[in-house]
Amino acid sequence: MAPAALVRPQGQACGQLAHPSPGTWQHGGVTAATHSTLFPQVPDTPDAVLEGLDPEQREVATALHGPVCVLAGAGTGKTRAITHRIAYGVRAGILQPSSVLAVTFTNRAAGEMRGRLRQLGASGVQARTFHSAALRQLQYFWPKAVGGSMPRIIDRKIQLVADAAAACRIRLDRNELRDVAAEIEWSKVTRTVPADYDAVADKHGRETPRDPAEIAQLYAAYEDLKRERAVIDFEDVLLLTVGILQDRHDIAEQVRRQYQHFVVDEYQDVSPLQQRLLELWLGDRDDLCVVGDASQTIYSFTGATPDHLLDFRIRHPGATVVKLVRDYRSSPQVVHLANGLLAQARGRAAEHRLELISQRDPGPEPVYTEYADEPAEAEGAARRIRDLIASGTPASEIAVLFRTNAQSETYEQALADAGVPYQLRGAERFFDRPEVRKAGVALRGAARFGANDSLLADTVDLPSQVRAVLSGEGWTSEPPSGSGAVRERWESLAALVNLAQDFAAAKPDATLGDLVAELDERANAQHAPTVQGVTLASLHSAKGLEWDVVFLVGVAEGMMPITYAKTDEQIEEERRLLYVGITRARERLHVSWALSRSPGGRPNRRPSRFLNGLRPGSAATAVRGGAGSTGGIERGSPGGTASVVPRPTSRTPARCRVCGRTLRDAGEMKLMRCEDCPSDMDEALYERLREWRAVQARRSGQPDFCVFTDRTLMAITEAVPTTPAELARIPGVIARKLQRYGADVLAICAGQDLEADDEGD
């Protein structure tokens, strides 16, 4: 039996190893996913939490009160910004960990958020999906609100839908059962009851799998059967929680006393039902931070809508809006293609698109390839992937992305024939795999017996101990030939071996027991090590991930956009889906399509219309979306007006003002000079600023560095700013501190005496 901590059904494995990153935001030290050291040191001060953030991310991290809306483009470090925001608030004593609820949409994303918060020293913050948070509340309050035991939650709707169809004497095949189940899910998350289904479906222009009246009948029968059998489904968890919070004000108040600060990730994917639950959690408060990108809305078929994100300023006129457009993930060539794709878009989401600015060095241009048929396309991709791996690109840094899961089989076969290992996105979670569970038991036992375990007799360090233990579970120094289940088991064990090596490198004194504890923590957070294999994934399941090399395959009319996308709204969502696929690539992007489905077939397909004007030799499409939005900050006021604070979008590297060398260290960036270059600092001015800072710190009951760090004071002293604009350009002088302390600092720099004013307080 595996230890409980290694068997946590909370999410899918991330499967992405961290990449070392430079220390400053100007040089690619920020990314939307992992790009950090594998086992980073916990920051020792609140200000240290802010190190490495760019100006907009820092604004997010320090805007801890009132409504905040973060419009974050792909690869701009949104997860980094919001986790540092929570961690900074906790470490500075402004937020209590137990009072913060961060919600997102997948267990993997929630697990990643918990892992990052733990690394930042902010353990105790609740990071959950909407459903997980609602289920905890429902289980806790059910006896008080309803009485008795909570009904059992069914895993799948299909059988119950089939029983409802039989009761209604309606025959449904397997595909129709799945489609009707999806319609019931959509109805529930849009808060549509059976009697209203026909009218609401017509209003939304839904293409229903059966006559709307029949679906309404099936929906009603499905609900009746649930009540008869005393079961509930996945959507009922949210519906029932909403019902209890609406009807029982005492319970609602209890929840609101517990959670006083909310962060919602991927806010463009919120459904009307989830939005209602969020409103009930909030009550009449506004301590809410939402993060999203309307250009990445790709789940409208499930009821998700970007309207809540786009209307945030209407509901919260005093909100601060921060736009993140510095793309740290993708090369300028990839970003240029992504921007060009959205420039052709139309509709409300397109009107709010963000114009990304790559922060990376130039890379190769995207490669476009046309094939005679789909098998040839798959074989061509497999050959290129094999060559990439042979030239040093890790298999785990390559992905093949397609529109539908049905396309997977062709690529599985092609990669297997080419001898390339692969893994399917959405397959069994890493920590739930049988071989990983058994490995956990073996490692725990070896840690417990220590030197008495014969397996460890000839080992000299932690990695050799892990290799010795896992050799008894099937790990070998060389991978097995071929693919399939044997290779997949070996890959899982090899991932644990690699993790042990990285862990020992980061913590040389670590023991086998320390590694087991780390695995327990990772299982809790579903923070899995990398499995060495090319990732095969649908575009929908690739959301939130990234790779060095991405192959976008099947980019042809009929597949992208998909055949059944008829309306303008559906076509635009297909465009956004392709945008998500493009922005998964860091360095290399391969785009391909086939002229026919099978060898010898009629070559009647053509490349996707979305590539018109973007791929070489294609006719340009008229730009309809207008200019994209640049980065910056809009601060709301109680009266509903907003002031715009533009942020620089230049990618010019910062250079020392003395010798001209490119600066990379965060401390040097603040001073705008190398550490070793001579300083022209006025020591007397520096001491006056330090004395003033001490007074301000005593007044606020905070440490000195919470006012300004020593580095920031040194930078102010060397720059001697004379205007608020000059002071705002100094790193470390964020908007909040400029507003609070700017007048005093400028007065001191101008030689004015504030002592009398200080004594009067």
Side-chain angles (χ1 to χ4, degrees), residues 400-466:
V400 178
L401 306 182
F402 33 75
R403 176 62 181 84
T404 69
N405 288 319
Q407 296 169 269
S408 173
E409 185 177 358
T410 303
Y411 289 89
E412 291 180 56
Q413 186 62 55
L415 291 173
D417 291 344
V420 175
Y422 64 86
Q423 57 176 330
L424 290 175
R425 178 72 191 153
E428 190 174 26
R429 292 174 300 218
F430 182 83
F431 288 104
D432 286 348
R433 297 176 185 177
E435 64 271 18
V436 175
R437 294 166 67 180
K438 287 183 64 180
V441 173
L443 289 170
R444 187 176 295 279
R448 184 181 301 117
F449 290 107
N452 296 322
D453 193 321
S454 59
L455 283 173
L456 306 182
D458 299 322
T459 60
V460 294
D461 55 17
L462 178 59
S464 63
Q465 290 175 342
V466 172

Side-chain angles (χ1 to χ4, degrees), residues 148-172:
S149 301
M150 200 181 91
R152 179 176 63 87
I153 303 174
I154 58 173
D155 295 328
R156 300 174 70 242
K157 293 183 178 66
I158 296 296
Q159 185 57 54
L160 209 56
V161 173
D163 293 345
C168 296
R169 300 182 183 279
I170 298 175
R171 297 191 62 178
L172 300 176

Side-chain angles (χ1 to χ4, degrees), residues 37-41 462-463 498-510:
T37 54
L38 188 59
F39 298 100
Q41 296 295 315
L462 178 59
N498 292 335
L499 179 67
Q501 293 171 343
D502 292 328
F503 189 65
K507 301 181 178 181
D509 297 330

Side-chain angles (χ1 to χ4, degrees), residues 299-315:
Y299 297 108
S300 66
F301 61 90
T302 67
T305 170
D307 289 346
H308 304 299
L309 175 67
L310 299 178
D311 292 339
F312 192 81
R313 284 294 294 273
I314 297 174
R315 296 194 310 277

